[in-house]
Amino acid sequence: MKAVRCAIYTRKSSEEGLEQGFNSLDAQREACAAYILSQASEGWQLIPEDYDDGGLSGGTLERPALQRLLAHVAAGRIDIIVVYKVDRLTRSLLDFAKLVEAFDAAGTSFVSVTQSFNTTTSMGRLTLNMLLSFAQFEREVTAERIRDKIAASKARGMWMGGIPPLGYRPDGRSLAIEEDHAALVRDIFARYLKLTNVRLVADTLARDRLHTPQRVTGKGRRYGGCAFTRGQLYAILRNPIYAGDIAHKGTRYPGNHPAIIERETWEKVQQQLSDNVRGVRQNRQARASLLAGLLFDETGTPLIAVHTNKGRQRYRYYAQRAPNGADHAQSPTSIRLPAREIEQVVIRELTSLIDDPAILMERCCLPVTPDVYARIAGHSMMRQKQMLEWGNAQMRALVTRIVVHPDHIAIEIRAAALADLFGIDGSALMHTIRHNVPARLRRTGMVVRLVQDDGMTASSSLPDPVLIRLLVKAQRWWKELCSGTCDIAALARREQLSPSYITRVVRLAFLAPDIVDAITEGRLRAGVDSKALLATGAVPSDWREQEAKYLPG
Amino acid sequence: MLEDLSFGELKAAWGRHTGKPLPRVSAGLLRLALAWELQASVSGGISRITRQRLDQLAMDKTTTRPARPGMRLVREWNGTVHQVTIGEDGVISWQGKEWRSLSEVARAITGTRWSGPAFFGLKQKKVAA
């Protein structure tokens, strides 16, 4: 016959041991051992190792002996676990499910000596589940009963324990006045009424060397003996106990204890404290990213707003959610768009669309009449700046979704919301307008950038004003030099600049016409600015060479 | 080649090719200038439109957006709405006819000389930032 290895698990939380003397670890172990012996004919054998958790609650699985037992079960060293009662293992149904799962995986069953069932059968498992449901129910009912009892006792004005407020000592189910401390409390209330300022009260108390009295908690911990903080003073001044009340969850009941402060005085202090409050306390609310919830990749996967911080700088992105908890940085193929770049593209496209209302109204399918145009003209002055102030909610009202394709971005706009923007009733418009922006994604490192098809960064289409001014200056100076009226040294003296700087600027007059066009239209190759064009050797004489260098390729 | 010419030869070539007075600059700058003039004489210099645009940008008072293909310009004049479309090939059409410039259309609508870009709202005063 095959030997069945049995392990005994015992547990006792201290309070239970007190009320039930027989339910000690030894008694449990003895009963279990006797049971195993009775099953010797079935081949049951007690393994020598002990699994005893003394003084630990059944509410948690973090018990050393239980963890050791589970490790041995997982190692396949145990066939049956014998316990005195099921609640020795756990009192929580959730934890019990975990345990049963672990036992099942290892092919281990367990037996309760005083509660007869066998977890190897479905009926046994059902019984067990029911039993544990009731165990859990009992725990919750007990907790409810205690809560109700506390509420009822407080409603009758009883003191329900805890550290007594300064000026009182516990007196059965009530509080008694501790006279020298109560004098200190009266002093604090009087000072506040005179000064009407908690900070000044704290200052004068510290100046008069009036400190919190040294007290000892029920468990023997010493506290007090230091200066009153403002927080402590607020707590004292706001405490309804001093007016003879007991508070419970926002309601006040008349207490059984004597008041230290007259009710009238106390109310006056409360009024003063409330009058002193300036402004509204509010938590800072996180501002949602402008396009949060609107961006999708071409497969329909949403791009979520993420950010990283470096020092005080915050870098925002819209990124694909990494598969199941993996780090974003570890999936190199996923899209990760710099937030500012895509936001600017979207804002620019929307503003330019709104500035061209005729096309829009046609796509909205609204009849175009002169008065409609007049109204649009009033509204079309939507500035980019204004839209930059928009919040996520406003953007969501106008845009249904934005799909980022590899070679373009599709913005879907609610026709009705657009009509509203122009002050036209568009409630009948159900359709969306689709607007395509030719821009493609280019990967630089981990980050994907948006690049317009001619190689220019999509978000920068305005001409560089510094470059324009330099270009105009260069042409004016060259004209002067050509007229023979002055030389570079004379120009430098007049402009109060160095001759070498003048020379470098004048070279810009010899940029190819195509490059000048590109500068005025703001479509130079990304990264080409005035600094790059003023560098030594920046202007080759051959136009083709210049174009290869500065025009988007 | 220009690179091989001495300063003296460069000066002579400048006078021969451009007919302009000789600027008092270094050989390097003169070589660059001469190369530009030679290339401009073959493929044309900076266009009039670009020059105007540069001046406008430098003055920093108004901006004119170019009329791009596919644009539709709408202008209300004396209670009627006029729509001008610019075709994919850049052709300006209004009332089923083709026009040479926006200014021509503006003149036909109003009977007076108008700057086309100004009339159709392409030229706008810059708002102080």
Side-chain angles (χ1 to χ4, degrees):
Chain A
M1 185 173 49
K2 192 173 166 280
V4 181
R5 294 158 298 172
C6 302
I8 298 174
Y9 176 77
T10 57
R11 180 186 64 80
K12 171 178 90 94
S13 33
S14 51
E15 55 208 317
E16 281 173 9
L18 287 176
E19 53 177 279
Q20 294 175 312
F22 66 91
N23 199 6
S24 70
L25 293 178
D26 282 338
Q28 285 179 35
R29 170 160 272 277
E30 216 162 85
C32 294
Y35 187 81
I36 292 169
L37 204 62
S38 75
Q39 301 293 319
S41 59
E42 300 287 322
W44 288 28
Q45 280 172 10
L46 176 61
I47 62 167
E49 193 148 3
D50 287 347
Y51 303 95
D52 297 328
D53 277 321
L56 286 165
S57 153
T60 165
L61 289 185
E62 290 306 312
R63 286 171 263 155
L66 181 65
Q67 291 299 327
R68 194 154 43 86
L69 178 73
L70 285 173
H72 290 171
V73 166
R77 284 164 56 180
I78 298 167
D79 294 318
I80 291 177
I81 298 158
V82 182
V83 289
Y84 183 75
K85 269 190 173 146
V86 177
D87 64 5
R88 296 302 92 192
L89 273 180
T90 175
R91 285 180 177 278
S92 148
L93 192 56
L94 199 68
D95 289 345
F96 178 68
K98 273 188 228 159
L99 288 177
V100 166
E101 204 174 314
F103 293 164
D104 275 353
T108 305
S109 52
F110 79 91
V111 166
S112 157
V113 174
T114 56
Q115 297 155 321
S116 161
F117 51 71
N118 187 350
T119 63
T120 51
T121 66
S122 57
M123 196 62 208
R125 270 198 280 271
L126 172 67
T127 320
L128 201 60
N129 276 326
M130 288 198 303
L131 205 70
L132 278 144
S133 292
F134 279 105
Q136 179 101 2
F137 174 68
E138 195 186 316
R139 264 164 71 91
E140 285 170 12
V141 166
T142 309
E144 267 171 33
R145 207 174 55 222
I146 292 169
R147 275 197 294 272
D148 290 350
K149 183 169 184 240
I150 289 175
S153 307
K154 284 196 164 184
R156 289 167 66 184
M158 288 181 186
W159 168 250
M160 291 307 288
I163 293 179
L166 183 68
Y168 288 106
R169 66 188 140 75
D171 177 21
R173 281 285 176 226
S174 186
L175 293 166
I177 292 179
E178 184 101 337
E179 200 39 62
D180 44 343
H181 292 172
L184 187 54
V185 173
R186 289 195 197 96
D187 185 25
I188 288 169
F189 273 81
R191 280 171 196 257
Y192 180 72
L193 276 181
K194 203 171 84 195
L195 299 166
T196 69
N197 181 321
V198 172
R199 186 176 53 79
L200 292 182
V201 171
D203 288 352
T204 55
L205 283 172
R207 198 191 56 215
D208 298 345
R209 299 196 177 282
L210 289 169
H211 289 350
T212 56
Q214 280 233 343
R215 291 192 283 168
V216 183
T217 65
K219 282 184 178 161
R221 195 172 60 84
R222 308 179 148 274
Y223 65 100
C226 38
F228 281 99
T229 65
R230 269 178 290 155
Q232 284 170 322
L233 291 175
Y234 274 112
I236 289 170
L237 292 169
R238 281 285 194 200
N239 197 341
I241 281 210
Y242 292 121
D245 285 345
I246 290 281
H248 182 64
K249 292 197 184 291
T251 343
R252 278 161 50 191
Y253 306 102
N256 295 340
H257 62 276
I260 288 180
I261 307 294
E262 276 175 43
R263 186 165 296 273
E264 206 179 304
T265 318
W266 191 83
E267 296 291 355
K268 218 150 83 186
V269 166
Q270 303 315 303
Q271 188 58 46
Q272 184 63 53
L273 283 167
S274 304
D275 287 350
N276 282 357
V277 174
R278 291 274 173 274
V280 184
R281 191 169 294 190
Q282 56 189 9
N283 293 329
R284 193 185 298 183
Q285 199 150 21
R287 195 189 155 122
S289 284
L290 185 66
L291 303 179
L294 291 173
L295 282 171
F296 295 86
D297 73 0
E298 54 184 335
T299 63
T301 316
L303 302 182
I304 56 171
V306 296
H307 71 261
T308 67
N309 292 326
K310 185 178 182 185
R312 301 181 62 177
Q313 187 72 35
R314 171 161 293 194
Y315 298 92
R316 292 190 301 118
Y317 301 93
Y318 293 99
Q320 271 167 342
R321 194 190 298 275
N324 266 342
D327 195 356
H328 283 289
Q330 281 165 2
S331 47
T333 52
S334 68
I335 298 181
R336 192 172 168 84
L337 283 171
R340 206 152 292 264
E341 217 146 297
I342 179 89
E343 280 167 8
Q344 272 182 358
V345 168
V346 169
I347 287 176
R348 205 194 57 220
E349 288 300 324
L350 286 177
T351 45
S352 68
L353 263 180
I354 291 166
D355 274 344
D356 252 339
I359 297 171
L360 263 181
M361 295 322 286
E362 194 188 63
R363 287 163 82 174
C364 275
C365 304
L366 277 184
V368 179
T369 56
D371 63 310
V372 166
Y373 268 114
R375 212 158 345 149
I376 291 170
H379 287 273
S380 70
M381 285 293 150
M382 174 79 66
R383 292 269 157 256
Q384 226 158 309
K385 237 192 208 165
Q386 201 177 330
M387 209 179 243
L388 279 172
E389 307 268 297
W390 271 25
N392 179 252
Q394 280 166 296
M395 190 55 92
R396 271 161 177 263
L398 181 65
V399 176
T400 49
R401 58 196 264 132
I402 301 164
V403 184
V404 180
H405 295 272
D407 57 346
H408 70 277
I409 302 165
I411 306 175
E412 285 168 27
I413 304 159
R414 252 186 219 106
L418 202 60
D420 281 350
L421 215 55
F422 295 127
I424 298 162
D425 177 35
S427 49
L429 301 171
M430 296 306 291
H431 64 288
T432 57
I433 300 163
R434 205 182 142 97
H435 178 67
N436 285 341
V437 187
R440 72 191 141 99
L441 304 175
R442 179 175 287 175
R443 197 174 291 278
T444 53
M446 286 308 298
V447 165
V448 174
R449 295 207 173 272
L450 278 173
V451 177
Q452 262 188 359
D453 272 336
D454 47 7
M456 177 185 66
T457 309
S459 58
S460 66
S461 73
L462 287 173
D464 179 356
V466 178
L467 199 47
I468 299 272
R469 253 173 273 142
L470 275 179
L471 201 56
V472 172
K473 217 180 266 181
Q475 291 177 350
R476 203 178 60 224
W477 285 345
W478 178 244
K479 221 166 157 186
E480 283 189 54
L481 289 172
C482 269
S483 67
T485 48
C486 61
D487 60 1
I488 282 182
L491 263 180
R493 268 196 307 279
R494 194 190 73 201
E495 303 280 338
Q496 298 188 322
L497 293 165
S498 74
S500 84
Y501 179 75
I502 300 267
T503 311
R504 274 182 291 146
V505 173
V506 165
R507 284 202 198 110
L508 298 186
F510 309 122
L511 286 172
D514 281 353
I515 294 177
V516 176
D517 285 353
I519 290 173
T520 60
E521 286 158 27
R523 50 171 183 84
L524 277 185
R525 178 174 290 186
V528 178
D529 55 5
S530 47
K531 196 178 162 215
L533 284 173
L534 286 184
T536 312
V539 183
S541 56
D542 187 0
W543 286 0
R544 267 172 312 182
E545 211 176 312
Q546 291 181 14
E547 283 156 16
K549 223 168 155 180
Y550 298 123
L551 289 186
Chain B
M1 280 312 292
L2 280 179
E3 274 73 23
D4 304 329
L5 296 185
S6 70
F7 200 8
E9 288 167 326
L10 267 176
K11 288 176 182 171
W14 175 263
R16 199 165 58 245
H17 277 291
T18 66
K20 292 177 190 169
L22 189 66
R24 283 148 62 194
V25 293
S26 67
L29 206 53
L30 189 60
R31 195 173 284 125
L32 199 55
L34 185 54
W36 196 90
E37 294 287 348
L38 287 173
Q39 289 174 94
S41 66
V42 176
S43 44
I46 294 171
S47 68
R48 185 178 55 88
I49 290 171
T50 305
R51 275 198 192 287
Q52 283 176 349
R53 196 167 153 71
L54 262 181
D55 290 343
Q56 200 183 42
L57 285 167
M59 299 257 286
D60 208 24
K61 281 180 182 156
T62 50
T63 47
T64 307
R65 283 190 294 160
R68 290 226 170 84
M71 242 184 198
R72 172 175 306 197
L73 303 165
V74 180
R75 168 70 202 232
E76 191 200 334
W77 181 257
N78 284 344
T80 34
V81 173
H82 300 277
Q83 274 201 33
V84 176
T85 50
I86 297 160
E88 291 302 323
D89 43 4
V91 174
I92 299 165
S93 50
W94 175 63
Q95 291 195 337
K97 277 203 299 183
E98 289 185 6
W99 302 75
R100 276 181 305 176
S101 74
L102 287 177
S103 298
E104 210 176 23
V105 180
R107 194 180 176 191
I109 293 172
T110 62
T112 43
R113 285 198 187 274
W114 262 88
S115 150
F119 182 75
F120 287 103
L122 289 176
K123 182 174 176 177
Q124 278 179 332
K125 274 220 172 88
K126 241 188 169 170
V127 178

